[in-house]
Amino acid sequence: MSNPSPATRRTVAVAVGVVIPVHNEEELLDAALTSLEMAFAELSGWGLQQRVVIVLDSCVDESARVAKHWINQLRRRQRTLKATIVTSSHRNVGLARQLGCSSLLVRWAGVDQARIWLATTDADSRVPQDWL
């Protein structure tokens, strides 16, 4: 039997990362992060590397405090999902997303990029539990 062609081969993800650009979203950020955590929980048991990058873009409110608090609570609750904060001063959602995606790819430099699934959401959104 011959090997399947590249078009028919399935690529199985080994890592899932989500980028959340944030600009002054202190009131809505915790709900967005909590919904994202619940969506990642649906992937438990799949053996995937999981990471969230929160990009604080020119924030002058308490978004950083909210993000740090959520990360600290996340560490207490579980070990699978990892989260980090990066900062930007561009005040541009596209550049914030790019920075977050680049941050994920650097962290997973040893992983075949075809096996990394990246997604983005917004700090004022609540993703559904089955989103990922």
Side-chain angles (χ1 to χ4, degrees):
M1 178 181 269
S2 64
N3 288 333
S5 71
T8 60
R9 275 188 225 138
R10 284 185 54 179
T11 301
V12 177
V14 297
V16 176
V18 175
V19 174
I20 303 179
V22 179
H23 176 71
N24 296 337
E25 299 286 354
E26 69 180 285
E27 292 180 20
L28 301 172
L29 182 57
D30 187 61
L33 294 170
T34 299
S35 72
L36 186 56
E37 182 179 351
M38 292 171 64
F40 268 106
E42 290 291 308
L43 300 179
S44 66
W46 289 44
L48 297 166
Q49 297 178 48
Q50 303 175 6
R51 186 169 289 276
V52 173
V53 174
I54 303 164
V55 183
L56 299 173
D57 188 18
S58 301
C59 293
V60 295
D61 67 352
E62 294 295 316
S63 292
R65 182 190 55 75
V66 172
K68 288 174 188 174
H69 177 74
W70 179 76
I71 289 173
N72 288 333
Q73 294 299 314
L74 181 67
R75 288 179 183 146
R76 288 185 184 104
R77 284 191 293 273
Q78 60 153 311
R79 294 177 207 94
T80 307
L81 178 59
K82 307 295 182 201
T84 55
I85 296 171
V86 296
T87 58
S88 170
S89 59
H90 296 292
R91 198 168 180 184
N92 179 299
V93 70
L95 292 175
R97 288 184 200 283
Q98 180 183 27
L99 177 62
C101 288
S102 295
S103 175
L104 285 167
L105 293 174
V106 165
R107 290 181 186 280
W108 287 325
V111 177
D112 177 2
Q113 288 189 3
R115 300 187 76 189
I116 299 171
W117 187 51
L118 300 180
T120 66
T121 187
D122 296 314
D124 61 354
S125 299
R126 293 182 192 179
V127 299
Q129 194 164 346
D130 64 352
W131 184 63
L132 295 170

